[in-house]
Amino acid sequence: MLKAKIISTGSYVPSRRLTNGELEQMVDTSDKWIMERTGIRERRIAAEGENTSDLAYEAAVLALSRAGISASSLDIIIVATITGDMPIPATACFLQNRLNATQAAAFDINAACSGFLFGLSTANAYIKSGMYKRILLVGAEALSRFTDWEDRNTCVLFGDGAGAVILEAADGQSGILSVDIHSDGSYWELLNLPGGGSKYPPSEEAAANRLHYIKMKGNETFKVAVRTLEKLVIDALEKNGLKSSDIALLVPHQANLRIISATATRLGIGMDKVMVNLDKCGNTSAASIPIALDEAATSGRIKENDTIILEAFGGGLTWASAVIRW
Ligand code: COA
């Protein structure tokens, strides 16, 4: 049966590291608190003038060169992001232009931290239906531009970066086995960026009220995340007739080490089977899974025929999982 297969990966993070020690100088926090409560040691910050599409471009170029294909052969470009260069046009259009991917239709997806997996669901459906054959999917974020550097509840969490995958139609055993996406808009108040849209358009008042920064009720979000993710992964395994012991690697959204280890404990898998890089990157929202996936794939942690689970949880609220035979 026709499947969508990830034929290559790529990622890019900006060179500037922002350490917990530096954050101690900016807000009332400590390296100890951040490490214990989140597992984050440092995060990357985009340089001035380095925008989301620039991060996406670097990741995409790497994925294209590793696949040995040219951008002109792409049918579709999807960018999952909540921090696009501009409200209009889509960041995917900036990327298409820079890549000179003249044949590709390009659009963005907003599902916050679950965005990459919502994009994967879309790409999977396009390829399985036979509608398109070759898709570039990128998760890219410049969250530092929307982070309130005076709010210790959120500013210690986020980082910038991008990860990309190329998907193609394939006939064999390997490829995407399932992608499941979910939303519950009744929880929208837990995590949002209120300003800049039609509800609170840009204005001096909106700026004075700091509405253009990300707001999160962290503890409430944490509780829903833990509860939801445990069931999500178990459901994904059951759907494919798999057991926890079949998982070669779990690649979770990198929000909080405590959330990640709670999921691993519930599944009964050791942390040696979990990809964690949030200590280096922080939470990069839609970019976090493809960055972690790229690191896992290029460092030899994923081998051919391995069963990989991806899972994410984020603003919306949204949550999603994918099961892949590599
Ligand atoms: N440094 C020091 N203290 C801090 C702090 C910081 N950076 N941020 C918050 N605190 C304080 C709080 O003010 C609070 O103090 P109080 O008890 O005096 O009121 C205390 O630490 C506990 O805060 P709380 O929010 O309950 O902490 P927590 O254990 O829930 O951890 C998060 C906070 C944000 C790390 C955690 O809730 C989390 O990761 N949430 C989920 C994030 C997520 O998955 N989002 C969806 C995907 S993006």
Side-chain angles (χ1 to χ4, degrees), residues 226-255:
V226 170
R227 215 171 46 228
T228 308
L229 288 172
E230 287 175 359
K231 185 174 177 322
L232 179 74
V233 179
I234 286 166
D235 286 353
L237 287 171
E238 273 175 10
K239 185 174 178 174
N240 290 283
L242 298 168
K243 302 182 296 297
S244 298
S245 53
D246 294 319
I247 301 175
L249 194 69
L250 176 70
V251 184
H253 168 50
Q254 308 283 313

Side-chain angles (χ1 to χ4, degrees), residues 85-274:
D85 292 17
M86 296 180 188
I88 308 170
T91 297
C93 292
F94 287 119
L95 180 60
Q96 184 231 25
N97 185 39
R98 250 190 105 180
L99 289 171
N100 203 20
T102 45
Q103 301 305 310
F107 60 92
D108 290 356
I109 281 188
N110 173 344
C113 301
S114 312
F116 179 78
L117 293 184
F118 275 60
L120 196 67
S121 169
T122 309
N124 188 40
Y126 276 152
I127 289 177
K128 282 184 76 164
S129 71
M131 201 166 165
Y132 297 110
K133 289 192 168 54
R134 190 174 270 178
I135 297 178
L136 166 65
L137 168 63
V138 187
E141 304 284 9
L143 288 160
S144 62
R145 305 271 158 79
F146 302 91
T147 297
D148 187 344
W149 295 105
E150 293 178 11
D151 175 15
R152 71 174 184 174
N153 291 295
T154 52
C155 76
V156 302
L157 304 173
F158 302 119
D160 301 337
V165 298
I166 311 275
L167 294 123
E168 267 189 8
D171 273 328
Q173 291 293 310
S174 59
I176 295 173
L177 304 184
S178 67
V179 192
D180 288 289
I181 58 173
H182 308 269
S183 309
D184 186 347
S186 68
Y187 285 113
W188 73 269
E189 279 179 297
L190 293 190
L191 178 48
N192 54 54
L193 193 165
S198 58
K199 189 174 171 102
Y200 303 111
S203 67
E204 282 179 23
E205 193 189 349
N209 290 325
R210 308 181 83 72
L211 297 187
H212 50 296
Y213 292 129
I214 296 165
K215 321 279 178 203
M216 181 165 72
K217 294 179 179 160
N219 195 265
E220 285 169 62
T221 309
F222 184 96
K223 286 178 193 152
V224 188
V226 170
R227 215 171 46 228
T228 308
L229 288 172
E230 287 175 359
K231 185 174 177 322
L232 179 74
V233 179
I234 286 166
D235 286 353
L237 287 171
E238 273 175 10
K239 185 174 178 174
N240 290 283
L242 298 168
K243 302 182 296 297
S244 298
S245 53
D246 294 319
I247 301 175
L249 194 69
L250 176 70
V251 184
H253 168 50
Q254 308 283 313
N256 186 309
L257 189 56
R258 288 183 294 140
I259 297 178
I260 294 172
S261 36
T263 310
T265 305
R266 178 77 166 79
L267 286 171
I269 60 169
M271 287 303 282
D272 57 318
K273 292 204 167 170
V274 183

Side-chain angles (χ1 to χ4, degrees), residues 16-30:
R16 161 87 170 102
R17 291 182 156 84
L18 178 67
T19 64
N20 291 349
E22 286 172 88
L23 282 164
E24 285 176 351
Q25 312 302 313
M26 295 161 63
V27 287
D28 180 15
T29 192
S30 66

